[in-house]
RNA sequence: GGUGGGGUUCCCGAGUGGCUAAAGGGGGCAGACUGUAAAUCUGCUGGUUGUACCUUCGGUGGUUCGAAUCCACCCCCCACCA
């Protein structure tokens, strides 16, 4: 049985760590309570947040206890790390609502049952702080010289950093001390950009006589263009909230990943054994093998976020539309996707919009308007450009005429298929 | 507090009275080629009842037939000095 630490390493989760030896020992002996911080600055998580969550999942399954910390207090300040400018300050109500949403989404990946995990909000202790006491007890242990040397601070020094933001890392460091004191938390995990803040926490804890505390960061995921991973379709985030990113689109996000990133993504975002991932992706794979591996990635990642049933449906829908990579099931895999009978493929699960039948009576509806109504284009101007560029399809036929009006007769069985480009598909249903 | 330099479209950045919805690059989208990939080439890249109109160059007023460009005041950022 491979140790969790080795598993984390093999899967590429380890980027920086305070002390590899100590951490390995810590994680391999007994149950360790660890924490990962989340900013409740949005009402939904997106794919970019997933890496730490997958690590939490892995660690929890190995018997460790995660603490998901919501930065209810620190979100009111804004972390300057990796930020060009100050964040907008949220109201307390917004933060509370976001924290609730976060908890619900987290519950799909890790068990939040009592004893197996904790869900805490740093507002619970940070809001009670007395300024003078805090300065004396905590502030006295920080060196401004050292803080100024921190990358995240240094880069902001040129174009301005407020005192408010400057305090962020002190508060985050204090979080670690509180969690260590109250929950016996010994480790912090986080993104690469959190290194400075995390080390500050470890240092503070040690200065305050708390032993055996460590931290470890995950690598920053970049796409082929060198941008933060998890954005697609016009630079939009891929959300875990189905109201923002339908399951089919979520599936497609993974299905359309870069060849070069495939093995890495399988390691991070699925639970398949590393050995199997290697077998699926190593060496010179042909198109069929690569595409099968992408199907597996998409299925597994979607199943984690939205459940097996939804993933299965997305797989069948996508396959029905674009074809299946391995319909005979000749490529061995432990993924449940192998058990799906591709003959049941259908297009029912395509993202659907319902529009009133009256819109299509008589003269009908201008195609550009329809594209907007279907959510395929943000504006009629953009829709018009798309059509002129030959990127719009009505029932799989390229729309040649910008002035085309869609009438009731274009629907068959009360439905019609609308595409923006080859991959963005919407089914329009008459109401 | 003083002096100087700045704030331009998603981002960087040109533009110092009309030819400017605003150069160039990045990003994004689409087309071709492919494997629902990458790379490459080509086109597009403010909005709108659909090509003529509307809105945009930190904010508010003003000069002018006409302002991103000139003037006044204000806000914000940077550098140096205190």
């Amino acid at each position: 049985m491979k140790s969790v630490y080795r598993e984390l390493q093999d899967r590429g989760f380890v980027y920086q760590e305070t002390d590899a030896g100590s951490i390995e020992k810590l994680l391999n002996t007994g149950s360790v309570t660890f924490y990962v911080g989340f900013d409740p600055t949005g009402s939904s998580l997106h794919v970019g947040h997933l890496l730490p969550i997958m690590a939490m999942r892995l660690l929890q399954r190995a018997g460790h206890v995660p603490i998901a910390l919501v930065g209810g207090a620190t979100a009111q300040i804004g972390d300057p790390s990796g930020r060009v400018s100050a964040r907008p300050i949220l109201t307390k109500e917004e933060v509370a609502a976001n924290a609730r949403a976060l908890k619900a989404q987290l519950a799909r990946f890790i068990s939040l049952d009592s004893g197996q995990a904790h869900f805490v909000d740093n507002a619970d202790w940070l809001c009670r702080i007395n300024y003078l006491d805090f300065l004396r007890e905590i502030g006295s242990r920080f060196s401004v010289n050292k803080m100024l040397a921190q990358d995240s601070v240094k880069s902001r020094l040129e174009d301005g950093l407020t005192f408010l933001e400057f305090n962020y890392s002190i508060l985050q460091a204090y979080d670690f001390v509180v969690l260590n004191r109250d929950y016996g938390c010994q480790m912090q995990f986080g993104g690469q950009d959190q290194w400075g803040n995390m080390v500050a926490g470890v240092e503070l804890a040690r200065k305050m006589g708390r032993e055996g505390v460590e931290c470890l960061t995950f690598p920053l995921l970049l796409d082929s263009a060198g941008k933060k991973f998890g954005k697609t379709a016009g630079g939009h985030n891929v959300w875990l909230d189905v109201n923002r990113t339908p399951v089919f689109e979520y599936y497609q996000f993974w299905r359309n990943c870069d060849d070069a990133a495939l093995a890495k993504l399988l390691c991070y975002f699925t639970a398949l054994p590393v050995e199997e991932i290697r077998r699926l992706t190593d060496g010179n794979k042909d198109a069929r093998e690569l595409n099968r591996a992408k199907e597996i990635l998409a299925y597994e990642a979607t199943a984690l976020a939205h459940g097996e049933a939804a993933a299965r449906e997305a797989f069948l829908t996508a396959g029905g539309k674009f074809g299946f990579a391995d319909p005979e099931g000749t490529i061995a895999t432990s993924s449940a996707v192998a058990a799906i009978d591709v003959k049941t493929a259908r297009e029912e699960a395509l993202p659907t919009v319902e529009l009133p039948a009256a819109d299509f009576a008589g003269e009908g509806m201008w195609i550009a308007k329809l594209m907007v109504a279907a959510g395929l284009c943000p504006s009629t101007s953009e829709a018009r450009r798309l059509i002129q560029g030959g990127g719009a399809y009505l029932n799989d036929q390229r729309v040649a005429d910008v002035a085309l009006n869609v009438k009731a007769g274009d629907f068959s069985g009360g439905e019609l298929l609308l595409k923006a480009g080859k991959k963005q598909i919407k089914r329009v249903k008459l109401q």
Side-chain angles (χ1 to χ4, degrees), chain A residues 408-421:
Chain A
D410 294 313
F411 288 79
S412 66
E415 288 183 14
L416 117 194
L417 209 59
L418 213 53
K419 296 208 279 184

Side-chain angles (χ1 to χ4, degrees), chain A residues 383-396:
Chain A
R384 194 188 315 136
R385 271 183 241 118
L386 181 78
I387 296 162
Q388 280 164 344
Y393 303 80
L394 175 66
N395 292 326
D396 286 316

Side-chain angles (χ1 to χ4, degrees), chain A residues 305-366:
Chain A
H306 299 296
E308 298 266 343
R312 177 193 158 88
E313 208 166 326
F315 167 73
L316 289 171
T317 305
K321 201 70 218 148
F322 300 106
F324 293 96
D326 183 27
E328 313 297 328
T330 55
I331 297 168
T333 174
S334 64
S335 169
V337 77
I340 301 174
D341 179 8
V342 301
K343 289 189 198 69
T344 58
R346 61 230 142 103
E347 294 179 8
E348 279 158 36
L350 286 174
T352 302
V353 262
E354 291 193 20
L355 294 173
D359 288 358
F360 302 93
E363 280 302 292
M365 188 184 206
W366 183 30

Side-chain angles (χ1 to χ4, degrees), chain A residues 43-44 76 79 90 124 144 170 188 196 215 238 254 262 302 326 378 395 403 413 427:
Chain A
S43 60
S44 172
Q76 291 173 44
D79 182 3
L90 298 173
D124 289 344
V144 171
I170 297 182
Q188 179 176 186
C215 68
V238 178
W254 297 101
L262 183 54
T302 306
D326 183 27
N395 292 326
R427 210 160 40 124

Side-chain angles (χ1 to χ4, degrees), chain A residues 33-218:
Chain A
T33 301
F34 65 96
Y35 103 88
V36 177
F38 294 92
D39 252 345
T41 41
S43 60
S44 172
L45 291 167
H46 53 77
V47 164
H49 294 115
L50 232 42
L51 193 67
I53 296 175
M54 291 305 294
M56 284 169 96
R57 188 184 141 86
L58 208 67
L59 286 158
Q60 187 181 51
R61 295 186 155 224
H64 301 299
V65 180
I67 300 175
L69 176 140
V70 181
T74 33
Q76 291 173 44
I77 292 176
D79 182 3
S81 304
R83 270 295 179 133
V84 188
S85 53
R87 291 167 197 254
I89 294 175
L90 298 173
T91 66
K92 287 178 182 158
E93 293 70 34
E94 284 172 320
V95 168
N98 291 345
R100 277 195 300 276
L102 174 76
K103 189 173 185 176
Q105 293 186 343
L106 217 47
R108 299 185 206 153
F109 294 87
I110 62 173
S111 160
L112 290 176
D113 296 345
S114 74
Q116 292 187 56
H118 304 282
F119 193 83
V120 300
D121 181 349
N122 65 8
D124 289 344
W125 57 85
L126 290 180
C127 288
R128 286 205 299 265
I129 281 175
N130 173 291
Y131 193 56
L132 278 180
D133 291 345
F134 187 76
L135 283 181
R136 286 170 59 98
E137 194 191 342
I138 308 299
S140 60
R141 297 177 204 267
F142 277 85
S143 148
V144 171
N145 314 41
K146 210 163 176 177
M147 288 171 71
L148 288 175
Q150 241 186 66
D151 246 10
S152 57
V153 172
K154 220 167 25 182
S155 61
R156 282 289 300 282
L157 239 33
E158 293 228 328
D159 40 39
L161 177 75
T162 61
F163 184 65
L164 178 80
E165 293 174 279
F166 185 58
N167 278 269
Y168 186 92
S169 89
I170 297 182
L171 292 177
Q172 187 171 324
Y174 182 65
D175 283 345
F176 198 178
V177 171
V178 170
L179 291 178
N180 179 265
R181 185 191 68 202
D182 297 350
Y183 293 88
C185 174
Q186 292 184 85
M187 280 204 71
Q188 179 176 186
F189 291 85
Q192 186 183 323
D193 56 337
Q194 290 299 307
W195 179 246
N197 294 335
M198 286 162 63
V199 170
V202 169
E203 237 173 85
L204 178 65
R206 287 180 184 166
K207 279 184 187 167
M208 295 180 76
R210 305 195 160 269
E211 298 299 320
V213 288
E214 307 285 348
C215 68
L216 182 154
T217 59
F218 310 124

Side-chain angles (χ1 to χ4, degrees), chain A residues 221-231 235:
Chain A
L221 277 187
L222 298 173
D223 62 19
S224 59
K227 309 230 308 187
K228 267 194 184 171
F229 173 79
K231 301 209 178 209

Side-chain angles (χ1 to χ4, degrees), chain A residues 355 359-361 363-374 379-385 387-388 394 399 401-407 410 418:
Chain A
L355 294 173
D359 288 358
F360 302 93
E363 280 302 292
M365 188 184 206
W366 183 30
I367 180 75
K369 284 257 171 205
L370 178 57
M371 302 287 290
V372 175
S379 68
T380 56
S381 294
E382 197 147 309
R384 194 188 315 136
R385 271 183 241 118
I387 296 162
Q388 280 164 344
L394 175 66
V399 178
D401 179 13
V402 204
L404 178 78
N405 273 3
V406 179
K407 304 192 180 74
D410 294 313
L418 213 53

